[in-house]
Amino acid sequence: MDDKILHTLEYRKILNKLTQYTQTPMGKLTSEQLKPSGDFEGVKLLLQATDEAANVDRLKGIPSFSGISDIKPALKRASIGGMLGTTELLAVGNTIGGARRVKRFLAAMHEEEKIISLFAQSELLSEQKHVEDDIRSCIDENADVLDTASTELASIRRELRVGETRIREKLDSMIRSSSVAKMLQDQLVTIRGDRFVIPVKAEYRAHFGGIVHDQSGSGATLFIEPESIVAMNNKLRETRLREEREIEIILYRLTALVGDIAEEMSYDVDILGELDFIFAKARLARDMKATQPRMNDRGYLKLRKGRHPLIAADHVVPLDVEIGNQYSSIIVTGPNTGGKTVTLKTIGLLSLMSMSGLFIPAEEGSQMCVFDAIYADIGDEQSIEQSLSTFSSHMTNIVNILHKMTPKSLILLDEVGAGTDPAEGSALAIAILEHIHRTECRMVATTHYSELKAYAYERKGVINASMEFDVQSLSPTYRLLVGIPGRSNAFAIAERLGVPSPILDHARGEVKEEDMRVEHMIASLEENRLAAEKEHERAESIRREVEELRERHQVELAKLESQRDKRLEKAENDASAILAKARKEAEEIITDLRLLAMEEGASVKEHKLIEARRRLDDAEPAPRKKAVSRTAVKPPRQIQAGDEVKMSSLNQKGHVVELSGSKEAFVQFGVMKMKVRLDELELLSAQKGGTPALRQATIVKRTRDENIRSELDLRGSNLEEAIMETDRFIDEAFLGNLGQISIIHGKGTGVLRTGIQEYLRKHRYVKSYRLGNYNEGGAGVTVAELQ
């Protein structure tokens, strides 16, 4: 890709944003050198890796690349026999450890969510833990060689500590002496050039023996090594030299280990840089709210709500554009400052980003094409040095484009033919566009010339487009309108600005009647488009609302079925437990009867005992089948609106709201209304006004059951769940002959309390309700009196 195009479309600014998310020098370098690719399969692999990294980031966050650095120079020196310093060896150890962490992170992630590309790359990382362990056993985090690096080094450092202690003790005793103390500037021991010295006043130099190693800036203090410790300092110096030689031996040994794995580690560094780069692309995509485009190599481009990534999100206007299907060229007309140039740059820049394996700031379903090249002539590139006018500069660029373009290229032309006589410029623009269009490449061009509107209208494969302009506010909206040519809006703007009517009438008279008809046609098209957009938005809103209601209904239905299955299963389990206990007791009784019969000499018929046991076995209920049989229940009469009915499959009671045809009805089950077939309903009680036979209702005997709850705890539930539970609870309490119930909803924000009390106010079984007293829970409890 030509560097000039990358500069024109501001591609480098995208790379600068990308490098901010890298964690390693290698990843940063890879990001800085990123170029768009014309290889279709290669681009798909790049986008796949970015998509996997985005999924990892969304689920677990990105792996840490801390401690990983570019150790290639150190590896090269180690491989040719040079000695690495402690800092370089520590960097090698940290990089080995960082590579192991990244590899384990991606392996664990791959087990949960398949990340084929990233996992394959991480598996290529070598395991060099033995070298890392050797380095860490010899060098600490501050790049200092540890005493434990070798037995000899530990021994030497013990000698050093003993020698330093003896010298300090000797000097401490000396400076505490009254005869010496008066000659000292300060009573302290210091070091100059690895030699222990004491600060002596300059006037006592003649009275104080020893070696002068330094003096203060003023010359008033001399740092002298007393003769009594010269031999001890010499011995300490020899010991330090031995320490340095031993450290060199250790570093050479570690360097040799690094040299043995230099080739593998160099490859690991490249992989780590690539992985860091891929995760940086994922973070950039998250920052831009970008999505993965679908790629093709057939010249088809479709942007859905595409946004220029360098324009602030609160100012950018999304772009919808499609090219390469019914038409291969778009001619955008309209006034200046309408956003035509931004449109060109958006199409070009998003194409470059997708061809680089980057996600694009657009909605899901956008499609991008892999072009062999993108050519653009955008902006005023007049050159004073080359004495080229604006027109000449544009023509030079266009000539280069005409020589290099192919059928698989994308051409972006801004104000084609501008900068010269309008008549000649428009004719030249039409000729250039026609030549490019015949080449069958993809092209988007902007122009002021109205003659190009007719060209785009008449030419197959070419379509008009314009930038929307709000005449009322006299400002552009920056929206691209494909299929509608641009209007000049000159008369409308002049009228809004207060130009007198006679002048406007005279101006309109100067315009050709044909041109006026075209302007009226364009205005009519815009009005129809705006009306169609409003209708589409309204239809889309209704569709979304219906979808939400349908999903909510399915969730509620599934919830009801799940609750029903759990309750029936619990009831069966309870019944089985009771029968099992009864069977055990019966067996014990039968055994006792046999023993008693034997003792008493009586006879108990064995077949009677067997028959009794069989009856006990038959009493156990068979396990309920999960699949609910929808057996048609013939109603005693035709079900009507207002009837109380029972749905057999759900074991729920409700009221018929209205009939839907001759076979279905809408039934209210608590807070939920469902559409149910009539043959699934069992009539419980008819509405008032029917015949006496039909008004006959099922008589329910209300008896007090000690197992019926008198309290319901709704804390932690949402309002819909709470109302469903309250409805079920009131039914159970009413059938259990409870006169008073307590509903615990908590204090919280009051939403749950208000909703429950509003529901109680309308319930037919509730006579009254109130908040709990102090000893009943206060405002966190509602107490209801039942009919």
Side-chain angles (χ1 to χ4, degrees), residues 429-439 443 455 459 462:
I430 292 174
I432 291 171
L433 297 180
E434 177 63 19
H435 176 76
I436 295 174
H437 179 65
R438 283 201 304 266
T439 310
M443 175 180 63
Y455 165 75
R459 191 72 171 86
V462 183

Side-chain angles (χ1 to χ4, degrees), residues 187 294 312 353 505 540 574 637 747-748:
Q187 287 186 321
R294 287 188 290 170
M353 289 175 63
D505 294 339
E540 186 65 20
D574 292 345
R637 70 162 178 82
K747 298 178 181 178

Side-chain angles (χ1 to χ4, degrees), residues 329-333 433 443 445-447 452 455-456 462-466:
S329 299
I330 300 177
I331 308 300
V332 185
T333 54
L433 297 180
M443 175 180 63
T446 69
T447 181
L452 270 70
Y455 165 75
V462 183
I463 192 169
N464 273 305
S466 61

Side-chain angles (χ1 to χ4, degrees), residues 5 160 270 355 551 694:
I5 299 300
L160 281 173
D270 291 337
M355 291 166 62
E551 291 176 3
L694 295 179

Side-chain angles (χ1 to χ4, degrees), residues 432-495:
I432 291 171
L433 297 180
E434 177 63 19
H435 176 76
I436 295 174
H437 179 65
R438 283 201 304 266
T439 310
E440 297 183 351
C441 57
R442 303 300 178 254
M443 175 180 63
V444 182
T446 69
T447 181
H448 277 305
Y449 297 131
S450 58
E451 290 82 356
L452 270 70
K453 300 176 188 177
Y455 165 75
Y457 179 77
E458 296 170 352
R459 191 72 171 86
K460 184 179 180 181
V462 183
I463 192 169
N464 273 305
S466 61
M467 305 307 298
E468 188 179 52
F469 188 88
D470 187 352
V471 179
Q472 298 300 320
S473 63
L474 301 182
S475 61
T477 64
Y478 303 105
R479 290 182 58 201
L480 179 67
L481 307 177
V482 178
I484 300 177
R487 299 173 58 193
S488 66
N489 297 307
F491 293 150
I493 293 172
E495 186 175 8

